[in-house]
Amino acid sequence: MNGENLLNVKDLSFLSEIENMAIVGVSKSRNFFFLNAHLENFKGKIYAINPTLKEIPGYDDGTKGLIYSSIKDVPDRVDYAFITVPREKVLDVVDECAEKGVKLVSVFTAEFSDSGTEEGLRLENELIKRAKSKVRILGPNGMGLYYPKKGIAWRPGFPANPGRVGLICQSGGLVNISVFMAKEMGLTFSKVFSYGNGADLDFVDLLAYFSQDDETDYIIAYVEGIREERGKTLRKVLEQNKKPIIILKGGVSTAGKVAAKTHTAALTGKNEIWNAIFKQFGVIHVETLAELIYGALILDSYGPVKLNNFIVCSVSGGYGVMITDLLEKYSMRVPQFSHEIQNQIAKLFYRRGTSPKNPLDVSVQFYDMENLYNIFDLALSDEIMDAMIFDIPGWYFDPHYRLRKYDDWEGNLFKALSLGQKFNKPIFVVIQRTDFLETRYNTVKKLRELKIPVFGQPKEFLPFLQEMNKNFEKWK
Amino acid sequence: MNGENLLNVKDLSFLSEIENMAIVGVSKSRNFFFLNAHLENFKGKIYAINPTLKEIPGYDDGTKGLIYSSIKDVPDRVDYAFITVPREKVLDVVDECAEKGVKLVSVFTAEFSDSGTEEGLRLENELIKRAKSKVRILGPNGMGLYYPKKGIAWRPGFPANPGRVGLICQSGGLVNISVFMAKEMGLTFSKVFSYGNGADLDFVDLLAYFSQDDETDYIIAYVEGIREERGKTLRKVLEQNKKPIIILKGGVSTAGKVAAKTHTAALTGKNEIWNAIFKQFGVIHVETLAELIYGALILDSYGPVKLNNFIVCSVSGGYGVMITDLLEKYSMRVPQFSHEIQNQIAKLFYRRGTSPKNPLDVSVQFYDMENLYNIFDLALSDEIMDAMIFDIPGWYFDPHYRLRKYDDWEGNLFKALSLGQKFNKPIFVVIQRTDFLETRYNTVKKLRELKIPVFGQPKEFLPFLQEMNKNFEKWK
């Protein structure tokens, strides 16, 4: 096991069997940060390894684990180790892990090939030798593995509930931001790999793993580069892959390429080659971390879809005009309803200052929830329409907002927004960020439970929809 | 007074003299919404006009105003009236306002020309006649005037403190979103006009007013269209204007043009004509409401500036790479430091996993505030550098964040970020939205007091900087 298969990628199928783990290099000066993080949700035993430490407050009663001076001394099976010892000691620890039968280690310690020094590079090569392909390595210079189902998490506050999106991230800083940003949007992950220098497990291995992983439906990644000799395997993996992939490629600018080299020793490669790969295999290429997470949110909500014709429904006529302009900019359309449906919708518009044409300007009628439900029902029933965008300012969800007076207004709005399911048509909600923080956040969470994605403004998702439309044929 | 000057724009200089106002059509069914909103901060008397209403709880003791059945009965000067009576009664109210000597009215009531009916159009024309150029009109179908210095505000919760940005908005819904969105970012306004159908005061008049207004340094606007015969005057106003202007133009798409016609009866005009005007007069053209407000935030913080060479300083190497890529995409650069400064900066980088080159990857050194101050001081002193982008995830500002242990860490960070003033170089802060809502919000507020703008991700401001660079020569 742990070997390489015909595809020349490493086997990680053992991940689902992880039962116990160890933190090697628990540190009082860091207030046992990584130990405490893993203790939050890990299901099995966590052994704390430190040659001199005698006690850890609140931990060492043995219920969750015990302190040992070496991983070799642990009288139990250890499947996974998080290594955070000084660079000079990493090799010996990996030796011990190999001996102990540990299947995977995350090496948090940096200054291997990423240091740009000969010594760093030598140590990284030595590291691979010591692992003897018995121990798989994430890192060095990475955060390792976040696996919610098992409760493996290198940070406190990472969500404990698993999702269906897999994230591969070459940067340890970006991966933390990604997880918390996703959390704010109600998006969770099946597994997250932060592989740093990728000395052993690299982008290609992890992509191949997710591509076959039953717990993962969609793959997103931040990648700076791969070793040149892995190009062929990457193409093979992408060829066999059936899951939608979104990639944020770091180091596409001249200065960015230099910076990436310093950051993770990555050779960022020629943009033309990457762009050709993206195009050939239908990879959605995004430009910011936010776009990566927003894109994942859309896939997680609706899967890959092709969307041309939009219903726009706005509480503010001006905002509806703006969304309409933007949809056309991003190669989508806001067509008129079919004659019969238009007539029926028009009957439901009874207040002045509203408009029953697409973009629908419901204005204050919006408070009349039964009416809004019926408008949505009719609009979504139109065969020409593929999807709907609904926008509403954050303050409507503020319970102190003075004009609000209907029973279970919010619940009824959610019911209307759930009509997307009836017609199998995606609904995208824009709730502008307007100084009602908690209120907005709570609403986003509730809509997320209904699998309806929420954004702060239309440019957060329209460029992604355009890219998805372009690449849709590859995933059908 | 209130006439038109040589430029063919209406005089609004009387705004600074408003002392008392009236709400015509206070309504119990709306829970006195507009009365209560104005009562929050208005400095003078507010008279409530309703022919049948006898009492308003908490209001009618006379200290703030009294109820009258007609504005003509008010035994006091009334300078400004907010009109929210049914459409059929608007004309008579305007008659009375003219008689009473009211200088400005906001007509909230809709279904004039915006209804698209002959009757609506007729009533709108009649409205102008009744005003006899004695009363200036904002609307109909608009929110009117928000003037923080006077405490005039049609909504509860609008900030009471005035700023230096003037906003002109053809849409009543958009204007509310704008004010609250700006509030979240710590941006306030000198005055805001929501002019709806623009029957009397139109975009051109209001632009001319702001262009001459001592309380306004920067002008931003959402405009759908102007009447064709106003094109010449618009050019003249723009020719004489010396203040930076940002415009969000609604109705640039085919479907958007139709929607705008319904929304405010606006003729959106040919895109080529508008684009030519924008280019000729250095108007910054944006595509979303968020970009309009973000742009205003940048102008309000640093004025118009031309920025080519950026220092990027990141807590996450990957995020620094991404920002560097984006800067190049938007025609800006991340150059290396001059030799001497690079050497000095390198001496301050002592931790593994960091990088002293531009983009600076400070990583955990970030906690060492004195050191960070010195790094910023050196980096900003480099003559080649025009500005800096600093990014940091929201959780660093969470007081419960475990690794945080330095005294007044936040205060010291703000001190370091204030070094931009020493070198007169703009600093842009990115604090990612990562589920630490209140913490992030409070930090944004504090940084805003230091006139340092904060964003959630780089694409929120980089497109604007590119447009600003292009148009800079017009404003020097």
Side-chain angles (χ1 to χ4, degrees), chain B residues 245-363:
Chain B
I245 303 176
I246 316 173
I247 290 182
L248 169 62
K249 174 70 177 62
V252 295
S253 65
T254 317
K257 283 180 191 302
V258 177
K261 184 94 180 55
T262 311
H263 181 223
T264 53
L267 295 169
T268 45
K270 290 207 173 99
N271 294 345
E272 302 72 43
I273 296 179
W274 279 98
N275 290 337
I277 290 176
F278 293 155
K279 198 171 169 192
Q280 184 182 350
F281 299 105
V283 172
I284 300 181
H285 180 204
V286 294
E287 294 178 322
T288 68
L289 188 67
E291 287 170 357
L292 187 71
I293 305 299
Y294 295 147
L297 181 69
I298 291 172
L299 285 178
D300 193 46
S301 302
Y302 300 124
V305 275
K306 186 162 188 165
L307 307 172
N308 290 317
N309 296 329
F310 279 78
I311 304 155
V312 174
C313 181
S314 182
V315 181
S316 149
Y319 212 89
V321 169
M322 185 189 84
I323 292 176
T324 301
D325 285 345
L326 285 171
L327 277 164
E328 209 163 293
K329 176 189 157 99
Y330 291 106
S331 315
M332 291 164 276
R333 293 176 63 237
V334 183
Q336 287 309 308
F337 294 108
S338 65
H339 190 69
E340 179 51 32
I341 288 174
Q342 181 64 77
N343 284 344
Q344 288 179 266
I345 289 177
K347 284 180 196 151
L348 297 174
F349 280 68
Y350 53 88
R351 287 288 294 260
R352 285 174 175 173
T354 62
S355 167
K357 291 188 175 170
N358 200 16
L360 299 165
D361 176 5
V362 291
S363 191

Side-chain angles (χ1 to χ4, degrees), chain B residues 2-282:
Chain B
N2 289 11
E4 301 192 357
N5 54 20
L6 285 176
L7 205 57
N8 196 27
V9 293
K10 288 144 203 142
D11 176 30
L12 282 172
S13 57
F14 61 83
L15 286 182
S16 61
E17 295 153 23
I18 293 175
E19 280 181 16
N20 300 319
M21 66 173 288
I23 314 282
V24 187
V26 286
S27 155
K28 198 176 174 176
S29 69
R30 279 192 172 144
N31 200 21
F32 311 109
F33 185 81
F34 292 114
L35 176 64
N36 285 326
H38 284 92
L39 280 169
E40 268 189 13
N41 293 303
F42 189 65
K43 318 289 186 205
K45 289 275 173 85
I46 307 182
Y47 297 100
I49 312 301
N50 183 310
T52 56
L53 198 72
K54 293 287 170 250
E55 53 178 5
I56 300 173
Y59 159 76
D60 50 8
D61 61 358
T63 54
K64 296 170 184 167
L66 273 174
I67 311 170
Y68 290 93
S69 59
S70 159
I71 197 164
K72 289 188 297 181
D73 301 336
V74 178
D76 197 355
R77 160 184 163 188
V78 177
D79 311 298
Y80 171 59
F82 185 94
I83 299 176
T84 171
V85 298
R87 184 179 72 163
E88 296 68 28
K89 295 184 181 163
V90 171
L91 293 179
D92 289 344
V93 170
V94 168
D95 273 340
E96 289 169 11
C97 286
E99 208 175 305
K100 178 71 186 168
V102 173
K103 299 183 189 93
L104 176 72
V105 299
S106 293
V107 181
F108 173 70
T109 314
E111 292 286 299
F112 286 82
S113 67
D114 55 296
S115 69
T117 63
E118 264 186 50
E119 173 65 2
L121 193 61
R122 190 192 65 76
L123 281 169
E124 190 160 304
N125 288 331
E126 185 64 20
L127 186 64
I128 301 308
K129 279 188 207 152
R130 301 284 186 99
K132 305 176 189 78
S133 286
K134 277 186 183 168
V135 193
R136 294 270 72 110
I137 301 174
L138 283 167
N141 186 29
M143 303 305 309
L145 173 67
Y146 163 45
Y147 189 175
K149 196 178 123 186
K150 297 272 176 192
I152 298 173
W154 63 76
R155 280 287 296 239
F158 274 16
N161 56 319
R164 304 293 305 172
V165 175
L167 164 64
I168 307 169
C169 197
Q170 197 159 0
S171 160
L174 270 196
V175 80
N176 286 325
I177 303 171
S178 303
V179 174
F180 282 120
M181 201 183 271
K183 183 181 173 184
E184 178 158 335
M185 291 189 270
L187 176 75
T188 52
F189 296 99
S190 57
K191 298 176 193 83
V192 174
F193 297 106
S194 164
Y195 66 99
N197 298 357
D200 178 35
L201 292 164
D202 66 5
F203 174 65
V204 182
D205 295 316
L206 299 168
L207 188 67
Y209 170 74
F210 272 145
S211 172
Q212 301 296 325
D213 176 34
D214 289 341
E215 295 172 355
T216 302
D217 293 334
Y218 311 107
I219 307 166
I220 69 174
Y222 172 77
V223 58
E224 293 180 348
I226 58 169
R227 289 188 301 279
E228 214 176 318
E229 68 268 23
R230 296 290 277 163
K232 208 171 144 191
T233 308
L234 175 61
R235 287 168 185 278
K236 274 194 208 157
V237 170
L238 286 170
E239 203 165 79
Q240 295 189 9
N241 168 65
K242 303 268 180 252
K243 299 176 185 176
I245 303 176
I246 316 173
I247 290 182
L248 169 62
K249 174 70 177 62
V252 295
S253 65
T254 317
K257 283 180 191 302
V258 177
K261 184 94 180 55
T262 311
H263 181 223
T264 53
L267 295 169
T268 45
K270 290 207 173 99
N271 294 345
E272 302 72 43
I273 296 179
W274 279 98
N275 290 337
I277 290 176
F278 293 155
K279 198 171 169 192
Q280 184 182 350
F281 299 105

